[in-house]
Amino acid sequence: SQTIHQWPATLVQPVGSPLSLECTVEGTSNPNLYWYRQAAGRGLQLLFYSVGIGQISSEVPQNLSASRPQDRQFILSSKKLLLSDSGFYLCAWTTQGSQPQHFGDGTRLSIL
Amino acid sequence: GEDVEQSLFLSVREGDSSVINCTYTDSSSTYLYWYKQEPGAGLQLLTYIFSNMDMKQDQRLTVLLNKKDKHLSLRIADTQTGDSAIYFCAETTSGTYKYIFGTGTRLKVLA
């Protein structure tokens, strides 16, 4: 069966520090991968998606970036965090096509 | 652009039925989904419906789709306190990679 892992579960970082969040999927090949951010009490904002290794589509201009170094690994990064980067970050995957997305457990990021 | 709207809150008594509503704007939507999010957790897929269907039932869950009005609903029968959560509807169109999510409806079940 397929599983998705996100880590860390929680993270507290100072303003201006770098960021690296990791997401891996097991049990499937060539998934479409997604990063979302959820602000407190709000819906999901799509940040990045990837349909293949090295292929990244950015939805929102910001100081975040994403990379897909391996087929089932998706990384969200920042060189310098802003206060506005606080939120709940969710990784999701789907098979090719319009199949349902499956989500990880999320990373709660707090910026001080 | 595409938009999905939901009411923000719903409160029901334990044992009653809950109906969570969603409207969307993209007439080419192919699949519509319902997700549940418990506090501090990711989104859990509950059910989904293809756009050529009017209804789908899965145990206590019933999904109704009115494609003409672009209206989707999720009915939870015999609502329990464990159903308290935020419920998101989402849609996607065949041939695209993006999924559009609503803002979520917070369901509170009163004992």
Side-chain angles (χ1 to χ4, degrees):
Chain A
S1 64
Q2 301 93 349
T3 55
I4 179 170
H5 302 282
Q6 268 189 259
W7 66 92
T10 58
L11 191 59
V12 181
Q13 292 284 99
V15 169
S17 63
L19 173 74
S20 180
L21 303 181
E22 191 161 340
C23 172
T24 60
V25 179
E26 295 176 359
T28 189
S29 297
N30 196 27
N32 292 338
L33 296 171
Y34 300 78
W35 278 111
Y36 292 90
R37 177 169 58 203
Q38 184 179 24
R42 297 204 174 175
L44 275 67
Q45 178 188 31
L46 177 62
L47 301 175
F48 302 95
Y49 67 92
S50 171
V51 300
I53 296 175
Q55 188 282 330
I56 306 294
S57 294
S58 174
E59 287 297 301
V60 183
Q62 59 211 331
N63 69 320
L64 300 173
S65 62
S67 62
R68 185 170 176 173
Q70 299 180 43
D71 181 44
R72 291 168 289 174
Q73 183 184 29
F74 206 23
I75 297 172
L76 183 69
S77 304
S78 174
K79 292 181 180 177
K80 282 187 177 182
L81 285 167
L82 306 173
L83 282 174
S84 58
D85 292 324
S86 292
F88 191 51
Y89 288 81
L90 289 158
C91 181
W93 73 272
T94 185
T95 56
Q96 301 301 317
S98 301
Q99 294 303 307
Q101 289 188 317
H102 302 277
F103 286 81
D105 291 333
T107 295
R108 171 96 33 215
L109 176 63
S110 299
I111 310 299
L112 302 179
Chain B
E2 305 90 346
D3 194 19
V4 177
E5 293 192 355
Q6 301 178 239
S7 54
L8 292 179
F9 299 102
L10 177 65
S11 179
V12 300
R13 295 210 171 272
E14 190 174 20
D16 289 348
S17 291
S18 307
V19 179
I20 302 170
N21 295 302
C22 172
T23 57
Y24 58 98
T25 59
D26 189 354
S27 58
S28 60
S29 295
T30 312
Y31 288 92
L32 297 117
Y33 309 88
W34 283 105
Y35 287 87
K36 176 184 181 182
Q37 185 182 34
E38 299 191 37
L43 274 67
Q44 173 194 355
L45 177 69
L46 290 177
T47 186
Y48 63 102
I49 189 168
F50 188 56
S51 59
N52 67 355
M53 299 168 65
D54 298 324
M55 185 183 84
K56 181 178 181 181
Q57 188 156 0
D58 184 0
Q59 299 183 335
R60 292 192 297 123
L61 304 179
T62 302
V63 178
L64 295 177
L65 175 60
N66 182 328
K67 199 172 178 183
K68 174 176 168 291
D69 294 337
K70 300 191 189 72
H71 182 265
L72 181 74
S73 67
L74 174 69
R75 179 178 180 269
I76 306 173
D78 186 26
T79 312
Q80 302 298 307
T81 54
D83 295 323
S84 292
I86 301 175
Y87 290 81
F88 291 92
C89 68
E91 62 91 10
T92 191
T93 301
S94 181
T96 71
Y97 300 108
K98 288 196 242 181
Y99 294 69
I100 310 298
F101 283 81
T103 52
T105 298
R106 186 179 296 273
L107 174 65
K108 184 174 182 179
V109 181
L110 305 172

